[in-house]
Amino acid sequence: MPVEVHSYRLTLRGKPVGTHTLRTQQRGEAALLEGRTMLQGNLGQSTVIQQSRCHNTGFFSYRFLEETKARGGNRRYEVVFDSSTGMIRASRGQNDRAYTPYLLPYRDPLSMLHEIRRLSGNGGGQTRIPMLGKEIMVLPVGVVTLPTPLGDREAWAFSLYPGRSFIYVDAEPPHPILRLTQRLTDTSVDALLVKTHEETPVPNRERPTKGGGGRERRRRRSRSRS
């Protein structure tokens, strides 16, 4: 399937502070998500790349990776949600690893946004999204008419707690996020959709992770050799 690409402009107090690009591709039962944020101005200069492999309709995460590239050095954070062992493995380097039980179908930051897009127009009440370390409450606010660089759009508005962020999802399929307002300590950063298009997917070179279907594929290959 083609890769869905949404491009956003980031602003702080009305001034541009960077860009964000979100790529979404469905591959079997999985969704491959990538968020690339380039910051400048009052937020400093850095590039943050997030990658998620999650279930396309269940939204629980198989793997999440975040890499930050800045003048002060690079950082890498990876989480593997391993349902086959019932453990979650997190690492910030070879000597900085942590393990915790896999108790709930946890989401990562990108799969959470992927899920909220599917809430558009469901007419339901609040939605609880389990994240590592906390639970996010998504509350529907209602329908608003939102001015965007692509024209006025009818959008479903949601508020998130904790954090008091707001997400506006296009009421028309494929329900892209039109605007995201993320609260900071004394202000907020706005991400506004400015462009949407599709790309041809690249060949699959992803290494399967446990809990993400890799073990089942190994069993199928073993049966075929017998």
Side-chain angles (χ1 to χ4, degrees):
M1 296 186 68
V3 180
E4 176 189 82
V5 184
H6 294 140
S7 301
Y8 297 83
R9 180 176 64 242
L10 305 181
T11 60
L12 176 67
R13 300 187 184 94
K15 296 182 179 180
V17 289
T19 61
H20 177 75
T21 303
L22 178 62
R23 288 178 168 84
T24 303
Q25 180 187 1
Q26 183 177 343
R27 188 171 288 168
E29 293 184 348
L32 306 182
L33 314 173
E34 181 189 82
R36 183 180 294 263
T37 302
M38 300 184 68
L39 300 175
Q40 61 186 28
N42 292 336
L43 295 181
Q45 292 189 346
S46 63
T47 299
V48 181
I49 302 172
Q50 296 179 324
Q51 294 178 332
S52 166
R53 184 172 186 268
C54 66
H55 195 278
N56 189 48
T57 56
F59 312 113
F60 51 86
S61 183
Y62 298 127
R63 174 180 178 267
F64 176 73
L65 173 66
E66 180 177 282
E67 296 178 295
T68 301
K69 302 177 182 180
R71 290 182 177 179
N74 300 336
R75 298 190 303 274
R76 177 186 173 95
Y77 173 64
E78 183 177 16
V79 184
V80 176
F81 301 83
D82 192 345
S83 61
S84 65
T85 63
M87 296 296 294
I88 298 172
R89 306 191 304 272
S91 64
R92 297 184 184 273
Q94 291 292 332
N95 300 319
D96 189 358
R97 299 175 181 270
Y99 300 85
T100 189
Y102 191 163
L103 302 176
L104 294 170
Y106 294 108
R107 278 64 158 162
D108 60 60
L110 292 181
S111 66
M112 178 188 69
L113 296 178
H114 189 58
E115 179 173 3
I116 292 174
R117 288 180 61 183
R118 303 294 181 92
L119 298 177
S120 177
N122 68 358
Q126 64 186 23
T127 300
R128 298 174 180 267
I129 298 182
M131 305 282 288
L132 276 179
K134 62 182 177 181
E135 182 180 72
I136 299 296
M137 299 290 296
V138 182
L139 307 177
V141 177
V143 181
V144 300
T145 299
L146 189 69
T148 77
L150 306 178
D152 290 349
R153 299 291 184 92
E154 187 177 86
W156 286 86
F158 300 92
S159 62
L160 276 59
Y161 295 89
R164 296 192 62 190
S165 296
F166 289 88
I167 295 179
Y168 302 85
V169 180
D170 197 336
E172 295 294 327
H175 307 298
I177 294 174
L178 298 173
R179 180 176 178 178
L180 190 155
T181 300
Q182 185 173 356
R183 300 289 183 181
L184 302 179
T185 303
D186 56 353
T187 184
S188 61
V189 174
D190 288 311
L192 184 63
L193 181 67
V194 295
K195 182 181 178 182
T196 180
H197 67 283
E198 292 184 345
E199 293 179 347
T200 302
V202 298
N204 182 15
R205 297 188 178 91
E206 183 186 56
R207 295 176 61 186
T209 59
K210 294 180 181 180
R215 200 161 78 167
E216 178 60 29
R217 284 193 288 270
R218 289 195 295 272
R219 285 199 294 265
R220 288 200 294 266
R221 287 198 296 268
S222 177
R223 287 197 295 267
S224 67
R225 289 196 296 267
S226 61

